[in-house]
Amino acid sequence: MGYMFISPFIIGTVMLTLFPIVYSLYLSFTNFNLVGEADWIGLSNYQEMFTSDPMFKQALEVTFLYAGAGVPLRLVFALLIALALNKVVEAAGLYRTFLYLPSIVGGSVGVAIMWRQLFGNDGALNSVLASMGLPTHSWLGDPDTAIWTLVVLYIWQFGSSMLIFLAGLRNIPKTYYEASSVDGAHKIQQFFKITLPLLTPVILFNLVMQTIQGFMAFTPSFIITAGGPMNSTLLYILYMYRNAFQFFDMGYASALAWFMLLIIAVFTALIFKSSDRWVHYDDN
């Protein structure tokens, strides 16, 4: 009877998750254009990826820059906001709601379009600069600045990390701070000696989740810049999407997907491996 009740979940997991995962692994060793038969070509897709595809290397570099800059800055900003909210007593729920809103709508197409308008040549940012007598700039048209507009959008979506940090801060006993105050510790010392060490398990969780999300980013690059200019914002998932649904090379796109899975797995494993040195638990 129990299996009958959970059968919709089991069927859905097998048909919509496990089967596509296994099938994509098979497709990564084939030449498949979504119409005809999938022709087995062995490791040719992976060989092409590493030896004769300059766009693969470009997409990989852009993604590493995007995640490498966006994830730490997002976590730092979320922690600072959480520290500020932890001191707020009145209307704390209202502040949390407003600050969490960007995370709810930040990944949507509508926000991406708004961001494109904001940083456009005739957008609000250039209008403000012009009204102040400052030089304007083609933020989305310059390869040196286009990727940073996407990074700023990623940092702006700090709400989920902020709430997790805030929950961690609320779980730190106040007696620790009271005892340290008696010993003469000031706020900075309390932060580095009490708050930060006791918050490291939460930092670990946020770091893993945001790293995965950073590598999987797609919508900003697709909507705001379409990978341009000069492929300076060609994120990895956008390049995978192009191969699958624009070039109809599903075999190569599947190989790209499995290589990204390997990258995420390696980085996640490295983070967990390093956690023994910097994450402190209550029983340590």
Side-chain angles (χ1 to χ4, degrees):
M1 184 64 69
Y3 284 109
M4 184 188 71
F5 279 109
I6 66 173
S7 60
F9 173 77
I10 295 176
I11 295 173
T13 301
V14 172
M15 298 300 297
L16 302 178
T17 303
L18 295 181
F19 175 74
I21 289 175
V22 175
Y23 190 56
S24 69
L25 179 61
Y26 164 74
L27 289 179
S28 69
F29 298 102
T30 66
N31 181 20
F32 182 49
N33 62 1
L34 296 177
V35 178
E37 295 289 334
D39 300 324
W40 183 269
I41 57 175
L43 296 174
S44 297
N45 286 326
Y46 294 95
Q47 183 179 359
E48 178 185 354
M49 186 190 310
F50 294 113
T51 60
S52 59
D53 185 3
M55 286 296 97
F56 163 73
K57 298 177 182 178
Q58 172 69 16
L60 205 58
E61 291 176 0
V62 172
T63 304
F64 271 103
L65 174 60
Y66 176 83
V71 171
L73 292 175
R74 185 178 190 175
L75 292 180
V76 170
F77 192 69
L79 178 57
L80 293 176
I81 299 298
L83 288 169
L85 282 179
N86 195 38
K87 303 296 183 181
V88 176
V89 177
E90 296 183 1
L94 182 63
Y95 287 116
R96 286 197 301 266
T97 301
F98 279 119
L99 291 171
Y100 185 65
L101 281 177
S103 292
I104 299 177
V105 300
S108 67
V109 174
V111 170
I113 295 175
M114 178 205 70
W115 209 259
R116 185 178 62 191
Q117 298 297 325
L118 178 65
F119 286 94
N121 292 335
D122 298 325
L125 181 59
N126 277 338
S127 298
V128 172
L129 293 175
S131 65
M132 299 173 61
L134 299 174
T136 59
H137 187 74
S138 179
W139 304 100
L140 301 178
D142 187 348
D144 294 329
T145 59
I147 186 62
W148 295 106
T149 63
L150 305 188
V151 171
V152 172
L153 175 59
Y154 183 75
I155 298 171
W156 182 62
Q157 302 164 339
F158 63 90
S160 59
S161 300
M162 175 203 68
L163 288 182
I164 296 172
F165 277 135
L166 186 59
L169 291 171
R170 295 288 171 87
N171 285 328
I172 299 177
K174 294 183 179 180
T175 54
Y176 292 169
Y177 297 103
E178 295 171 355
S180 63
S181 298
V182 173
D183 292 336
H186 50 71
K187 297 296 183 181
I188 297 179
Q189 290 176 326
Q190 289 178 343
F191 174 76
F192 285 103
K193 297 296 184 179
I194 300 175
T195 305
L196 204 57
L198 294 178
L199 208 60
T200 48
V202 179
I203 295 175
L204 173 64
F205 176 80
N206 271 334
L207 179 60
V208 171
M209 298 304 296
Q210 298 307 320
T211 298
I212 295 173
Q213 186 175 346
F215 279 118
M216 297 298 293
F218 168 76
T219 303
S221 178
F222 181 68
I223 299 297
I224 300 175
T225 59
M230 299 175 61
N231 297 314
S232 61
T233 61
L234 182 63
L235 294 177
Y236 192 95
I237 303 302
L238 174 59
Y239 182 58
M240 184 178 70
Y241 168 84
R242 286 181 176 178
N243 278 277
F245 301 108
Q246 292 183 5
F247 308 146
F248 299 106
D249 192 352
M250 185 60 71
Y252 190 65
S254 298
L256 290 171
W258 275 91
F259 184 70
M260 174 52 67
L261 175 64
L262 177 62
I263 292 176
I264 293 175
V266 169
F267 271 87
T268 303
L270 290 175
I271 292 173
F272 276 107
K273 185 67 175 179
S274 67
S275 65
D276 294 337
R277 300 182 179 180
W278 59 273
V279 178
H280 306 281
Y281 297 98
D282 291 337
D283 55 351
N284 289 349

mmCIF file of all heavy atoms in Angstrom, residues 4 9 20 26 31-32 34 55-56 58 74 98 107 109 116 118 121 136 141 193 198 226 249 262 268 272:
data_model
loop_
_atom_site.group_PDB
_atom_site.id
_atom_site.type_symbol
_atom_site.label_atom_id
_atom_site.label_comp_id
_atom_site.label_asym_id
_atom_site.label_seq_id
_atom_site.Cartn_x
_atom_site.Cartn_y
_atom_site.Cartn_z
ATOM 1 N N MET A 4 2.219 1.922 -3.378
ATOM 2 C CA MET A 4 1.194 2.423 -4.281
ATOM 3 C C MET A 4 1.018 3.934 -4.123
ATOM 4 O O MET A 4 0.881 4.663 -5.105
ATOM 5 C CB MET A 4 -0.138 1.715 -4.008
ATOM 6 C CG MET A 4 -1.251 2.119 -4.976
ATOM 7 S SD MET A 4 -2.858 1.469 -4.517
ATOM 8 C CE MET A 4 -3.223 2.467 -3.071
ATOM 9 N N PHE A 9 5.523 9.503 -7.370
ATOM 10 C CA PHE A 9 6.851 10.080 -7.188
ATOM 11 C C PHE A 9 7.922 9.189 -7.812
ATOM 12 O O PHE A 9 8.841 9.672 -8.473
ATOM 13 C CB PHE A 9 7.136 10.281 -5.702
ATOM 14 C CG PHE A 9 8.544 10.709 -5.409
ATOM 15 C CD1 PHE A 9 8.944 12.017 -5.610
ATOM 16 C CD2 PHE A 9 9.474 9.791 -4.947
ATOM 17 C CE1 PHE A 9 10.245 12.407 -5.355
ATOM 18 C CE2 PHE A 9 10.773 10.164 -4.684
ATOM 19 C CZ PHE A 9 11.173 11.481 -4.889
ATOM 20 N N PRO A 20 16.342 10.484 -18.298
ATOM 21 C CA PRO A 20 17.056 11.512 -19.066
ATOM 22 C C PRO A 20 18.549 11.579 -18.744
ATOM 23 O O PRO A 20 19.363 11.845 -19.636
ATOM 24 C CB PRO A 20 16.332 12.809 -18.670
ATOM 25 C CG PRO A 20 14.969 12.378 -18.270
ATOM 26 C CD PRO A 20 15.166 11.051 -17.607
ATOM 27 N N TYR A 26 24.376 8.373 -22.768
ATOM 28 C CA TYR A 26 24.473 7.619 -24.025
ATOM 29 C C TYR A 26 24.633 8.555 -25.217
ATOM 30 O O TYR A 26 25.468 8.323 -26.110
ATOM 31 C CB TYR A 26 23.236 6.736 -24.192
ATOM 32 C CG TYR A 26 23.042 6.222 -25.592
ATOM 33 C CD1 TYR A 26 23.850 5.202 -26.106
ATOM 34 C CD2 TYR A 26 22.047 6.753 -26.415
ATOM 35 C CE1 TYR A 26 23.681 4.739 -27.406
ATOM 36 C CE2 TYR A 26 21.864 6.294 -27.716
ATOM 37 C CZ TYR A 26 22.682 5.287 -28.203
ATOM 38 O OH TYR A 26 22.513 4.830 -29.492
ATOM 39 N N ASN A 31 26.332 10.883 -32.436
ATOM 40 C CA ASN A 31 26.039 12.041 -33.273
ATOM 41 C C ASN A 31 24.536 12.041 -33.503
ATOM 42 O O ASN A 31 24.011 11.204 -34.249
ATOM 43 C CB ASN A 31 26.805 11.952 -34.592
ATOM 44 C CG ASN A 31 26.554 13.162 -35.484
ATOM 45 O OD1 ASN A 31 26.134 14.215 -35.009
ATOM 46 N ND2 ASN A 31 26.793 13.004 -36.780
ATOM 47 N N PHE A 32 23.837 12.975 -32.848
ATOM 48 C CA PHE A 32 22.375 12.964 -32.857
ATOM 49 C C PHE A 32 21.865 14.380 -33.101
ATOM 50 O O PHE A 32 22.218 15.317 -32.384
ATOM 51 C CB PHE A 32 21.848 12.434 -31.516
ATOM 52 C CG PHE A 32 20.357 12.349 -31.439
ATOM 53 C CD1 PHE A 32 19.614 11.746 -32.434
ATOM 54 C CD2 PHE A 32 19.674 12.875 -30.345
ATOM 55 C CE1 PHE A 32 18.239 11.662 -32.361
ATOM 56 C CE2 PHE A 32 18.307 12.803 -30.252
ATOM 57 C CZ PHE A 32 17.587 12.190 -31.272
ATOM 58 N N LEU A 34 18.506 15.239 -33.256
ATOM 59 C CA LEU A 34 17.122 15.324 -32.776
ATOM 60 C C LEU A 34 16.098 14.807 -33.776
ATOM 61 O O LEU A 34 14.904 14.766 -33.463
ATOM 62 C CB LEU A 34 16.742 16.780 -32.408
ATOM 63 C CG LEU A 34 17.507 17.433 -31.259
ATOM 64 C CD1 LEU A 34 17.059 18.879 -31.089
ATOM 65 C CD2 LEU A 34 17.294 16.674 -29.972
ATOM 66 N N MET A 55 35.380 27.698 -28.873
ATOM 67 C CA MET A 55 34.251 28.261 -28.127
ATOM 68 C C MET A 55 34.045 27.542 -26.798
ATOM 69 O O MET A 55 33.555 28.145 -25.837
ATOM 70 C CB MET A 55 32.971 28.177 -28.967
ATOM 71 C CG MET A 55 32.899 29.179 -30.099
ATOM 72 S SD MET A 55 32.868 30.905 -29.521
ATOM 73 C CE MET A 55 34.587 31.358 -29.682
ATOM 74 N N PHE A 56 34.408 26.279 -26.734
ATOM 75 C CA PHE A 56 34.331 25.548 -25.463
ATOM 76 C C PHE A 56 35.259 26.177 -24.435
ATOM 77 O O PHE A 56 34.868 26.408 -23.280
ATOM 78 C CB PHE A 56 34.690 24.079 -25.699
ATOM 79 C CG PHE A 56 35.042 23.332 -24.446
ATOM 80 C CD1 PHE A 56 34.068 22.965 -23.529
ATOM 81 C CD2 PHE A 56 36.366 23.010 -24.168
ATOM 82 C CE1 PHE A 56 34.400 22.274 -22.368
ATOM 83 C CE2 PHE A 56 36.702 22.325 -23.016
ATOM 84 C CZ PHE A 56 35.725 21.961 -22.112
ATOM 85 N N GLN A 58 36.425 29.232 -24.501
ATOM 86 C CA GLN A 58 35.939 30.576 -24.210
ATOM 87 C C GLN A 58 34.794 30.543 -23.206
ATOM 88 O O GLN A 58 34.771 31.312 -22.233
ATOM 89 C CB GLN A 58 35.480 31.243 -25.505
ATOM 90 C CG GLN A 58 34.774 32.588 -25.348
ATOM 91 C CD GLN A 58 35.706 33.688 -24.883
ATOM 92 O OE1 GLN A 58 36.929 33.539 -24.950
ATOM 93 N NE2 GLN A 58 35.141 34.799 -24.425
ATOM 94 N N ARG A 74 28.851 37.648 -3.617
ATOM 95 C CA ARG A 74 27.464 37.444 -3.201
ATOM 96 C C ARG A 74 27.393 36.984 -1.756
ATOM 97 O O ARG A 74 26.542 37.457 -0.982
ATOM 98 C CB ARG A 74 26.811 36.416 -4.118
ATOM 99 C CG ARG A 74 25.328 36.206 -3.872
ATOM 100 C CD ARG A 74 24.796 35.215 -4.879
ATOM 101 N NE ARG A 74 23.348 35.137 -4.860
ATOM 102 C CZ ARG A 74 22.639 34.416 -5.708
ATOM 103 N NH1 ARG A 74 23.250 33.732 -6.648
ATOM 104 N NH2 ARG A 74 21.328 34.376 -5.634
ATOM 105 N N PHE A 98 11.528 42.446 1.890
ATOM 106 C CA PHE A 98 11.976 43.307 0.797
ATOM 107 C C PHE A 98 13.343 42.883 0.275
ATOM 108 O O PHE A 98 13.598 42.917 -0.931
ATOM 109 C CB PHE A 98 12.018 44.768 1.257
ATOM 110 C CG PHE A 98 10.674 45.440 1.237
ATOM 111 C CD1 PHE A 98 10.114 45.940 2.400
ATOM 112 C CD2 PHE A 98 9.957 45.561 0.062
ATOM 113 C CE1 PHE A 98 8.865 46.558 2.388
ATOM 114 C CE2 PHE A 98 8.715 46.172 0.032
ATOM 115 C CZ PHE A 98 8.166 46.675 1.198
ATOM 116 N N GLY A 107 15.900 35.663 -11.113
ATOM 117 C CA GLY A 107 16.238 34.763 -12.198
ATOM 118 C C GLY A 107 15.235 34.770 -13.327
ATOM 119 O O GLY A 107 15.354 33.986 -14.269
ATOM 120 N N VAL A 109 12.881 36.125 -16.610
ATOM 121 C CA VAL A 109 13.149 36.796 -17.873
ATOM 122 C C VAL A 109 12.843 38.290 -17.765
ATOM 123 O O VAL A 109 13.555 39.132 -18.312
ATOM 124 C CB VAL A 109 12.311 36.148 -18.994
ATOM 125 C CG1 VAL A 109 12.463 36.928 -20.301
ATOM 126 C CG2 VAL A 109 12.732 34.697 -19.198
ATOM 127 N N ARG A 116 18.812 44.649 -18.752
ATOM 128 C CA ARG A 116 19.325 45.057 -20.068
ATOM 129 C C ARG A 116 18.975 46.507 -20.353
ATOM 130 O O ARG A 116 19.797 47.264 -20.899
ATOM 131 C CB ARG A 116 18.739 44.143 -21.149
ATOM 132 C CG ARG A 116 19.295 44.400 -22.548
ATOM 133 C CD ARG A 116 18.694 43.414 -23.528
ATOM 134 N NE ARG A 116 17.246 43.556 -23.615
ATOM 135 C CZ ARG A 116 16.457 42.677 -24.229
ATOM 136 N NH1 ARG A 116 16.977 41.583 -24.769
ATOM 137 N NH2 ARG A 116 15.156 42.876 -24.280
ATOM 138 N N LEU A 118 18.411 48.773 -18.013
ATOM 139 C CA LEU A 118 19.114 49.586 -17.020
ATOM 140 C C LEU A 118 20.524 49.924 -17.464
ATOM 141 O O LEU A 118 20.988 51.052 -17.303
ATOM 142 C CB LEU A 118 19.144 48.847 -15.683
ATOM 143 C CG LEU A 118 19.880 49.533 -14.525
ATOM 144 C CD1 LEU A 118 19.172 50.824 -14.131
ATOM 145 C CD2 LEU A 118 19.964 48.595 -13.321
ATOM 146 N N ASN A 121 22.568 51.628 -23.581
ATOM 147 C CA ASN A 121 23.179 52.917 -23.935
ATOM 148 C C ASN A 121 22.302 54.091 -23.517
ATOM 149 O O ASN A 121 22.809 55.155 -23.136
ATOM 150 C CB ASN A 121 23.451 52.966 -25.438
ATOM 151 C CG ASN A 121 24.535 51.984 -25.858
ATOM 152 O OD1 ASN A 121 25.387 51.611 -25.059
ATOM 153 N ND2 ASN A 121 24.492 51.554 -27.115
ATOM 154 N N THR A 136 29.310 58.767 -20.132
ATOM 155 C CA THR A 136 28.528 57.539 -20.196
ATOM 156 C C THR A 136 29.373 56.419 -20.814
ATOM 157 O O THR A 136 30.480 56.664 -21.292
ATOM 158 C CB THR A 136 27.252 57.758 -21.026
ATOM 159 O OG1 THR A 136 27.626 58.173 -22.358
ATOM 160 C CG2 THR A 136 26.391 58.838 -20.383
ATOM 161 N N GLY A 141 27.916 46.759 -24.410
ATOM 162 C CA GLY A 141 28.608 46.662 -25.690
ATOM 163 C C GLY A 141 30.112 46.565 -25.571
ATOM 164 O O GLY A 141 30.799 46.342 -26.567
ATOM 165 N N LYS A 193 36.281 36.023 16.338
ATOM 166 C CA LYS A 193 36.531 34.961 17.304
ATOM 167 C C LYS A 193 35.281 34.146 17.657
ATOM 168 O O LYS A 193 35.391 32.995 18.084
ATOM 169 C CB LYS A 193 37.106 35.565 18.595
ATOM 170 C CG LYS A 193 38.454 36.252 18.411
ATOM 171 C CD LYS A 193 39.545 35.268 17.993
ATOM 172 C CE LYS A 193 40.899 35.968 17.907
ATOM 173 N NZ LYS A 193 41.983 35.013 17.532
ATOM 174 N N LEU A 198 31.612 30.144 14.444
ATOM 175 C CA LEU A 198 30.361 29.422 14.662
ATOM 176 C C LEU A 198 29.458 29.444 13.433
ATOM 177 O O LEU A 198 28.504 28.664 13.344
ATOM 178 C CB LEU A 198 29.619 30.009 15.859
ATOM 179 C CG LEU A 198 30.307 29.823 17.217
ATOM 180 C CD1 LEU A 198 29.497 30.486 18.325
ATOM 181 C CD2 LEU A 198 30.500 28.339 17.516
ATOM 182 N N ALA A 226 22.968 37.876 -24.868
ATOM 183 C CA ALA A 226 22.985 36.822 -25.888
ATOM 184 C C ALA A 226 24.401 36.292 -26.121
ATOM 185 O O ALA A 226 24.761 35.895 -27.220
ATOM 186 C CB ALA A 226 22.382 37.333 -27.195
ATOM 187 N N ASP A 249 22.869 19.747 -32.370
ATOM 188 C CA ASP A 249 23.910 18.747 -32.118
ATOM 189 C C ASP A 249 23.758 18.266 -30.682
ATOM 190 O O ASP A 249 24.518 18.632 -29.798
ATOM 191 C CB ASP A 249 25.302 19.366 -32.359
ATOM 192 C CG ASP A 249 26.394 18.316 -32.409
ATOM 193 O OD1 ASP A 249 26.100 17.132 -32.101
ATOM 194 O OD2 ASP A 249 27.538 18.665 -32.733
ATOM 195 N N LEU A 262 30.968 17.031 -14.169
ATOM 196 C CA LEU A 262 32.262 16.663 -13.598
ATOM 197 C C LEU A 262 32.913 17.859 -12.913
ATOM 198 O O LEU A 262 33.473 17.733 -11.810
ATOM 199 C CB LEU A 262 33.174 16.113 -14.694
ATOM 200 C CG LEU A 262 34.608 15.746 -14.275
ATOM 201 C CD1 LEU A 262 34.587 14.634 -13.233
ATOM 202 C CD2 LEU A 262 35.429 15.335 -15.492
ATOM 203 N N THR A 268 32.782 20.770 -5.760
ATOM 204 C CA THR A 268 32.058 20.435 -4.535
ATOM 205 C C THR A 268 32.895 19.540 -3.637
ATOM 206 O O THR A 268 32.956 19.740 -2.404
ATOM 207 C CB THR A 268 30.729 19.737 -4.878
ATOM 208 O OG1 THR A 268 29.956 20.581 -5.733
ATOM 209 C CG2 THR A 268 29.938 19.450 -3.619
ATOM 210 N N PHE A 272 34.295 20.407 0.204
ATOM 211 C CA PHE A 272 34.068 19.542 1.355
ATOM 212 C C PHE A 272 35.392 19.029 1.922
ATOM 213 O O PHE A 272 35.537 18.879 3.145
ATOM 214 C CB PHE A 272 33.175 18.365 0.970
ATOM 215 C CG PHE A 272 31.709 18.685 1.026
ATOM 216 C CD1 PHE A 272 30.974 18.849 -0.138
ATOM 217 C CD2 PHE A 272 31.049 18.824 2.240
ATOM 218 C CE1 PHE A 272 29.628 19.149 -0.097
ATOM 219 C CE2 PHE A 272 29.697 19.123 2.294
ATOM 220 C CZ PHE A 272 28.981 19.282 1.118
#
